[in-house]
Amino acid sequence: AEQYRGMGAAEFFYRNKEIAGFGNPTRAIYQTVRELVENSLDATEVHKIPPKIVVQVEAVDPDKNIYRVTVDDNGIGIPPDKAPYAFGRVLYSSKYVARQTRGMYGLGVKMAVLYGQMTVGKPTLVITSPRGSKFTYRFKVKVNVKTNEPEVPEKGEWPKSGDWHGTRVSIELVGDWRRARTKILEYIKRTAIIAPYADITIITPEGILVRYPRKTYEMPEPPKEAKPHPKGIDIEALRQIIDKSKAKTLKQLLITEFQSIGPKTASVLLKRAGLEPDLNPKTLTDDQLKALVDAFHSYEKFRPPSPEPLSPIGAELIKIGLKSVLKPEFVEAVTRRPSAYGGHPFIVEVGIAYGGEIPPADQPVLYRYANKIPLLYDEKSDVAWKVVGETIDWSNYKVSFPAPLVVLVHIASTKVPYKGVGKESVMEVPEIEREIRLAVQEVARKLKRYLTKKEKEEELQKK
Amino acid sequence: AEQYRGMGAAEFFYRNKEIAGFGNPTRAIYQTVRELVENSLDATEVHKIPPKIVVQVEAVDPDKNIYRVTVDDNGIGIPPDKAPYAFGRVLYSSKYVARQTRGMYGLGVKMAVLYGQMTVGKPTLVITSPRGSKFTYRFKVKVNVKTNEPEVPEKGEWPKSGDWHGTRVSIELVGDWRRARTKILEYIKRTAIIAPYADITIITPEGILVRYPRKTYEMPEPPKEAKPHPKGIDIEALRQIIDKSKAKTLKQLLITEFQSIGPKTASVLLKRAGLEPDLNPKTLTDDQLKALVDAFHSYEKFRPPSPEPLSPIGAELIKIGLKSVLKPEFVEAVTRRPSAYGGHPFIVEVGIAYGGEIPPADQPVLYRYANKIPLLYDEKSDVAWKVVGETIDWSNYKVSFPAPLVVLVHIASTKVPYKGVGKESVMEVPEIEREIRLAVQEVARKLKRYLTKKEKEEELQKK
Ligand SMILES: Nc1ncnc2c1ncn2[C@@H]1O[C@H](COP(=O)(O)OP(=O)(O)OP(=O)(O)O)[C@@H](O)[C@H]1O
Ligand SMILES: Nc1ncnc2c1ncn2[C@@H]1O[C@H](COP(=O)(O)OP(=O)(O)OP(=O)(O)O)[C@@H](O)[C@H]1O
Ligand SMILES: [Mg+2]
Ligand SMILES: [Mg+2]
């Protein structure tokens, strides 16, 4: 007979850990470093703290592939009542809001904690002190796979000396460092390329220290949480908004809970939906909810989603980063105007570097980023590759392969449409694909002008 | 201040529905048809019932892209106390066991229910009668996104006339039928190719009926649930097994809860782990659990995982299917011996069709299947494409492109390592990649022999 049962989120992601990037020891140690570094950058940069991050990978028992990954940051820390859940409950996060962050699923660090506890059996060690707190908190945590509750076998606190703040996370796991090493070092390097305001260090089991010192204290403006845009709303989302809202009337709900809706627009929408402005929103029927969502979808005059929750890298920083790492003869970059898909704002940025110390290759070399995270796997199924590697005819821009060409593509959004929770490639959303194409063409035209000029100068020289 | 919160599985997959294949109305209507058909095939074939499945897509309001998808089957039905959860609780399934089925996540139909309720606002209609039941049950169901509990606004039952059994699921959703139509029809066709014992019909909104009648009543042997293999065990998995087990001693636990462990092997393993055979398993410490897992991993003499939970298509059925659909001049297929990765058994099957009515193409045409499910998206990131499209040098087999070549690859496993819960491509697991390569080479050698012979005959004819 069929055995019917339900399972919680912790058990589900433990069983299917490969979809989160923890399918084998090589990917697992890479993903562990990533998830911790991404959390540290969110805890600093998003709060305008110049990041100082140290990653240490130590060999605990290299014959058994047991390593300890430790990441230290000077971020905002985690409050002691929240911290056990932050590290011990799957689908728990402070990033479930409409604001551009690297984190979005509430899963990353828990997958690393789980992988450590299932391969080595030890809990994860966390030391943290929130900004302004008088205490430092230290605790060990595991995820209870059956109940999705944190287990805290040890905890303590002591008075803080000085006003440092930040977090240290230390996980012991079975990981194939030798196979993962190149990708991990590349990940750190590509993170540093676009974050010259960050001081990042990685120390390897072999004792090698690689440091990317801060080049500037200038930080990008942090993203500000935005209200939902009506274009992104479906019936369930509307239900949830009404649930949480304190608005007494339907008209007030539209004005206070959504961006781009003022009193005039609210009246127009309510008329289209055939709803009275002073209805109590909590009493709407399913048909009335549907009518309102239909009105949102058919209304053509909304101001597009605000870009205030976004935080692009900026064309200048992209050029500085590409120059310092690749030493090209030509570099150019563009940050497109904000756009949107399904009510979610996004910005595409593209940089191109050519020649100089870049070695020629048969295809463009593509550096992909999403919400400032370097993406190193699954290139061929990424929308950026579709544009840069398959759609653009580079011969139109005087580039003939083999050629020394590097293209950087960054997609920044309140919701990056990743193909999976392992965050390795981005889906082909038409609006995003179009923006990438326009951005690449914009910068490629400048490359063409440069190559044409260079060609002419070389011909003149020959004569 | 950071807003920390947790969310349940229903809210998580509702928010991130694109990773489950519901990111836009075109993919959503395709995925809805898929998820329902895959459930119907599991409810029939896995229980040795010759499947009779009818898929109907009706236009409810084509200007608004509102369609109703209904799938009828003659399967085992669902018991009335389980049915609300089967359709209304995310991560609820009867396939969380070690047995080859199309379903594995406990998510599929709930995503379709959610998509219907968020785009059109209506509940899903389910009519079901389990085999042997005297009643027919009918109910409407929605998923409560906040609590992950089913909501059943209507339900009823009545005495069954006759001894039919099966399930009908009917969902109204916003879907781009016009864009999805080709893929949906291709999906049904490719399902029928490898299931000649199934009677499958699809009726389109345009009123077109496509039927794939049954060609044989011979059914493959259904898969049998297997005990876990020690090679696939980690500390958490061992913990869960001990939790559920009634074994009084550690030695008894090893023998009864695992395959491939008899009394002799159990003694060897326990010695290696330094554990007493008559220890109460429920009292093991973390270090003892780790020692036992280490013993499992270091022991080299386990019998490989049993293939009894697998249900391959079979070389004969593959050849019949390819012949009937493609009308090639050459067709050959192979079912490899069972293999395993990480303790999970799998079988690779490959078929090749060449020439005849197959049009020439610049690359091999690849038909991918996993657990008998046709995979139509994300081809380039699939392990089968890596072998067939990138690794194999087809000129070694006298194939020069453009060429009329179709390659079918089927991966059958108790755990298919999909890249995402949308089940569109399979990860590059080395053991699986190797088996695909060996299988393709095996069949390609037969193609080479055929093409060489054909070449010789043509040369003789010229003289
Ligand atoms: N180094 C850190 N400093 C401050 N807060 C942290 C740190 N690491 C984790 N957190 C907190 O713990 C939460 C959970 O982290 P986790 O990585 O699991 O999810 P996330 O970052 O929100 O999303 P994602 O799964 O996409 O990474 C974060 O949202 C954040 O609030
Ligand atoms: N047509 C059907 N006939 C019989 N049982 C069904 C049918 N459809 C669904 N079920 C039951 O409902 C359960 C949930 O289905 P659902 O599609 O959500 O998950 P699944 O098939 O187990 O896994 P997956 O998410 O991989 O599809 C199934 O496991 C099965 O027990
Ligand atoms: Mg994170
Ligand atoms: Mg299913």
Side-chain angles (χ1 to χ4, degrees):
Chain A
E2 293 287 281
Q3 297 173 41
Y4 298 86
R5 75 164 176 111
M7 69 169 58
E11 192 181 349
F12 179 81
F13 283 105
Y14 157 71
R15 274 169 67 104
N16 299 300
K17 60 187 83 66
E18 70 280 354
I19 65 174
F22 286 85
N24 60 61
T26 305
R27 290 293 293 262
I29 189 169
Y30 170 82
Q31 200 74 15
T32 296
V33 170
R34 264 193 77 171
E35 295 291 357
L36 270 63
V37 168
E38 286 161 26
N39 285 347
S40 293
L41 283 163
D42 278 348
T44 47
E45 176 196 300
V46 174
H47 303 276
K48 223 164 178 179
I49 298 169
K52 172 143 181 59
I53 297 170
V54 179
V55 180
Q56 180 148 14
V57 184
E58 305 168 85
V60 174
D61 188 342
D63 300 327
K64 288 189 175 170
N65 264 350
I66 301 180
Y67 293 88
R68 182 182 305 115
V69 174
T70 305
V71 176
D72 269 284
D73 65 60
N74 60 335
I76 55 165
I78 307 128
D81 58 329
K82 307 287 194 270
Y85 300 104
F87 292 92
R89 177 176 281 172
V90 170
L91 307 187
Y92 186 92
S93 168
S94 63
K95 301 163 201 171
Y96 286 149
V97 294
R99 171 189 60 166
Q100 175 191 328
T101 46
R102 291 162 183 78
M104 63 187 280
Y105 295 125
L107 182 63
V109 79
K110 273 77 72 176
M111 292 308 303
V113 170
L114 270 171
Y115 198 80
Q117 84 188 45
M118 69 174 250
T119 55
V120 178
K122 292 217 184 122
T124 287
L125 172 65
V126 179
I127 300 173
T128 187
S129 183
R131 231 183 341 190
S133 166
K134 296 200 163 46
F135 287 87
T136 298
Y137 302 92
R138 172 188 187 279
F139 60 99
K140 294 193 172 174
V141 66
K142 279 185 167 181
V143 178
N144 185 314
V145 167
K146 211 160 153 207
T147 63
N148 199 20
E149 290 292 328
E151 290 178 354
V152 182
E154 273 181 48
K155 68 175 179 175
E157 57 184 72
W158 58 92
K160 178 159 71 177
S161 51
D163 59 358
W164 73 272
H165 49 79
T167 305
R168 161 181 291 201
V169 182
S170 196
I171 304 180
E172 246 178 80
L173 72 153
V174 168
D176 198 332
W177 164 258
R178 284 176 217 96
R179 281 214 177 92
R181 150 182 231 285
T182 306
K183 279 278 202 285
I184 290 176
L185 292 172
E186 184 68 19
Y187 174 86
I188 299 292
K189 173 173 153 191
R190 291 204 194 172
T191 296
I193 289 177
I194 58 157
Y197 46 79
D199 181 334
I200 307 178
T201 302
I202 176 163
I203 304 162
T204 72
E206 301 87 355
I208 297 172
L209 188 148
V210 184
R211 181 162 176 214
Y212 298 94
R214 185 170 293 126
K215 298 198 182 61
T216 168
Y217 270 94
E218 260 196 59
M219 303 264 319
E221 210 42 48
K224 288 195 187 63
E225 183 183 343
K227 291 181 192 163
H229 190 278
K231 276 294 179 218
I233 295 302
D234 60 78
I235 298 168
E236 279 302 321
L238 183 55
R239 217 192 281 276
Q240 289 185 5
I241 289 167
I242 289 174
D243 220 42
K244 294 207 213 87
S245 172
K246 297 194 167 61
K248 297 270 179 305
T249 71
L250 196 46
K251 180 164 185 175
Q252 197 187 14
L253 178 100
L254 293 190
I255 295 168
T256 59
E257 301 295 343
F258 296 93
Q259 57 171 293
S260 306
I261 302 185
K264 282 217 201 91
T265 308
S267 306
V268 171
L269 290 168
L270 290 170
K271 230 193 205 80
R272 279 198 189 200
L275 298 171
E276 290 303 318
D278 48 6
L279 274 177
N280 175 1
K282 310 242 188 232
T283 65
L284 292 186
T285 65
D286 281 358
D287 285 341
Q288 289 175 320
L289 290 175
K290 172 113 183 81
L292 191 47
V293 169
D294 284 350
F296 283 0
H297 282 282
S298 60
Y299 187 69
E300 300 279 306
K301 302 215 184 88
F302 285 119
R303 214 174 46 240
S306 155
E308 64 174 351
L310 301 178
S311 175
I313 302 165
E316 281 316 303
L317 287 192
I318 292 176
K319 293 200 284 192
I320 289 170
L322 289 174
K323 265 203 214 112
S324 71
V325 159
L326 299 171
K327 317 230 185 334
E329 68 188 74
F330 167 91
V331 80
E332 218 12 291
V334 67
T335 297
R336 297 277 299 171
R337 286 165 157 270
S339 186
Y341 81 95
H344 307 291
F346 72 89
I347 286 174
V348 165
E349 307 183 272
V350 168
I352 286 183
Y354 186 93
E357 294 188 16
I358 300 174
D362 291 331
Q363 287 182 317
V365 170
L366 177 60
Y367 283 11
R368 292 172 293 139
Y369 292 85
N371 284 6
K372 304 185 181 173
I373 300 173
L375 309 182
L376 269 59
Y377 284 94
D378 293 350
E379 180 183 63
K380 298 294 182 284
S381 62
D382 191 296
V383 61
W385 178 257
K386 184 179 178 201
V387 175
V388 170
E390 295 174 7
T391 309
I392 297 281
D393 184 349
W394 287 97
S395 62
N396 289 342
Y397 303 97
K398 293 207 163 298
V399 176
S400 59
F401 293 98
L405 175 68
V406 174
V407 182
L408 186 154
V409 176
H410 178 225
I411 302 162
S413 180
T414 50
K415 182 177 176 172
V416 173
Y418 292 110
K419 287 194 148 187
V421 294
K423 294 180 193 153
E424 281 301 350
S425 64
V426 180
M427 295 179 116
E428 284 172 25
V429 171
E431 293 86 337
I432 294 180
E433 185 177 339
R434 177 170 185 274
E435 275 296 305
I436 295 174
R437 184 171 48 77
L438 294 172
V440 171
Q441 288 169 337
E442 198 173 327
V443 192
R445 279 193 288 270
K446 298 186 177 172
L447 173 65
K448 177 178 187 178
R449 233 168 288 153
Y450 168 82
L451 291 176
T452 308
K453 180 156 160 280
K454 183 180 175 195
E455 197 178 44
K456 288 211 173 83
E457 290 174 355
E458 290 177 345
E459 291 191 11
L460 282 174
Q461 281 207 338
K462 288 198 190 133
K463 295 169 184 170
Chain B
E2 292 288 280
Q3 298 172 38
Y4 298 85
R5 76 166 176 110
M7 67 169 59
E11 192 181 350
F12 179 81
F13 283 105
Y14 157 71
R15 275 169 67 104
N16 299 300
K17 59 185 83 68
E18 69 280 354
I19 66 175
F22 286 84
N24 59 62
T26 305
R27 290 293 293 261
I29 190 167
Y30 170 82
Q31 200 74 15
T32 296
V33 171
R34 265 193 75 173
E35 296 291 356
L36 270 62
V37 168
E38 286 161 26
N39 284 347
S40 292
L41 284 164
D42 277 348
T44 48
E45 177 195 301
V46 173
H47 303 276
K48 224 166 178 176
I49 299 169
K52 173 144 180 55
I53 298 170
V54 180
V55 180
Q56 180 149 13
V57 184
E58 305 168 85
V60 174
D61 188 342
D63 299 326
K64 288 191 175 167
N65 264 350
I66 300 180
Y67 293 87
R68 182 182 305 114
V69 174
T70 304
V71 176
D72 268 285
D73 65 62
N74 61 334
I76 56 165
I78 306 129
D81 58 329
K82 308 286 194 267
Y85 300 105
F87 292 92
R89 177 176 279 172
V90 170
L91 306 187
Y92 187 91
S93 167
S94 64
K95 301 164 200 170
Y96 286 150
V97 294
R99 173 189 58 167
Q100 174 190 329
T101 46
R102 291 161 181 79
M104 61 188 279
Y105 296 125
L107 182 62
V109 79
K110 274 77 72 177
M111 291 309 302
V113 170
L114 270 170
Y115 199 81
Q117 84 188 46
M118 66 174 251
T119 55
V120 177
K122 293 217 183 120
T124 286
L125 172 65
V126 179
I127 300 173
T128 188
S129 184
R131 227 180 349 186
S133 166
K134 296 199 162 44
F135 287 88
T136 298
Y137 302 91
R138 174 189 185 280
F139 60 99
K140 296 192 170 176
V141 66
K142 280 184 165 183
V143 178
N144 184 314
V145 168
K146 211 161 151 206
T147 63
N148 199 20
E149 289 293 328
E151 290 179 354
V152 182
E154 273 182 48
K155 70 175 182 178
E157 58 185 70
W158 58 90
K160 179 160 71 178
S161 51
D163 59 1
W164 73 273
H165 50 78
T167 305
R168 160 181 294 200
V169 182
S170 196
I171 304 182
E172 245 178 80
L173 71 153
V174 168
D176 198 333
W177 164 256
R178 282 175 221 97
R179 282 216 175 89
R181 149 182 231 286
T182 306
K183 278 281 202 292
I184 290 175
L185 293 172
E186 184 68 20
Y187 174 86
I188 299 292
K189 173 173 153 191
R190 292 204 192 172
T191 296
I193 288 177
I194 58 157
Y197 46 79
D199 181 334
I200 307 179
T201 302
I202 177 164
I203 304 162
T204 73
E206 302 86 355
I208 297 172
L209 187 149
V210 184
R211 181 163 176 212
Y212 296 94
R214 185 171 292 126
K215 299 196 181 61
T216 168
Y217 270 94
E218 258 196 61
M219 302 266 317
E221 209 44 47
K224 288 197 189 61
E225 182 183 344
K227 290 181 193 164
H229 190 278
K231 277 297 180 212
I233 296 303
D234 60 76
I235 298 167
E236 278 303 319
L238 182 56
R239 216 190 281 276
Q240 289 184 5
I241 289 168
I242 290 173
D243 221 43
K244 295 207 214 87
S245 172
K246 298 196 168 60
K248 297 273 183 297
T249 69
L250 197 47
K251 181 164 183 173
Q252 198 185 13
L253 178 100
L254 293 189
I255 296 169
T256 58
E257 301 295 342
F258 295 94
Q259 56 171 292
S260 306
I261 302 185
K264 282 218 201 90
T265 308
S267 307
V268 171
L269 291 166
L270 289 170
K271 231 193 204 77
R272 277 198 190 199
L275 298 171
E276 291 303 319
D278 47 7
L279 273 177
N280 175 0
K282 310 240 187 233
T283 65
L284 292 185
T285 65
D286 281 358
D287 285 342
Q288 290 174 319
L289 290 174
K290 171 115 184 80
L292 192 48
V293 169
D294 284 350
F296 284 359
H297 284 279
S298 60
Y299 187 68
E300 300 279 304
K301 302 215 184 84
F302 285 118
R303 214 174 45 240
S306 156
E308 62 174 352
L310 300 179
S311 174
I313 302 165
E316 280 318 301
L317 288 192
I318 292 176
K319 292 200 283 193
I320 289 170
L322 289 174
K323 264 201 212 113
S324 71
V325 158
L326 300 171
K327 316 226 181 346
E329 68 188 72
F330 168 91
V331 80
E332 213 19 285
V334 68
T335 296
R336 297 276 300 171
R337 285 165 158 271
S339 186
Y341 80 94
H344 306 292
F346 72 90
I347 286 175
V348 165
E349 308 183 272
V350 167
I352 286 184
Y354 186 93
E357 294 187 17
I358 298 175
D362 290 331
Q363 287 181 319
V365 170
L366 177 60
Y367 284 12
R368 291 172 292 140
Y369 293 85
N371 283 5
K372 304 186 182 173
I373 301 173
L375 309 183
L376 269 59
Y377 284 94
D378 292 351
E379 181 184 63
K380 298 294 181 288
S381 62
D382 191 296
V383 61
W385 178 256
K386 184 179 176 200
V387 175
V388 171
E390 297 174 6
T391 309
I392 297 281
D393 184 351
W394 288 97
S395 62
N396 290 340
Y397 304 97
K398 294 208 162 294
V399 176
S400 59
F401 293 98
L405 176 69
V406 174
V407 183
L408 184 154
V409 177
H410 178 225
I411 303 161
S413 180
T414 50
K415 182 175 175 175
V416 174
Y418 292 110
K419 288 195 148 189
V421 294
K423 294 179 191 154
E424 280 302 349
S425 65
V426 180
M427 294 179 115
E428 282 173 26
V429 171
E431 293 87 336
I432 295 179
E433 185 178 338
R434 176 171 187 272
E435 276 297 305
I436 295 173
R437 185 172 46 77
L438 294 172
V440 172
Q441 290 170 337
E442 199 173 324
V443 192
R445 280 193 289 269
K446 298 186 175 168
L447 174 64
K448 176 179 185 177
R449 233 169 287 154
Y450 168 83
L451 292 175
T452 309
K453 180 158 163 280
K454 183 181 175 196
E455 199 179 43
K456 289 211 173 80
E457 289 173 357
E458 290 175 347
E459 292 192 9
L460 283 174
Q461 282 207 339
K462 288 194 192 138
K463 295 169 184 166

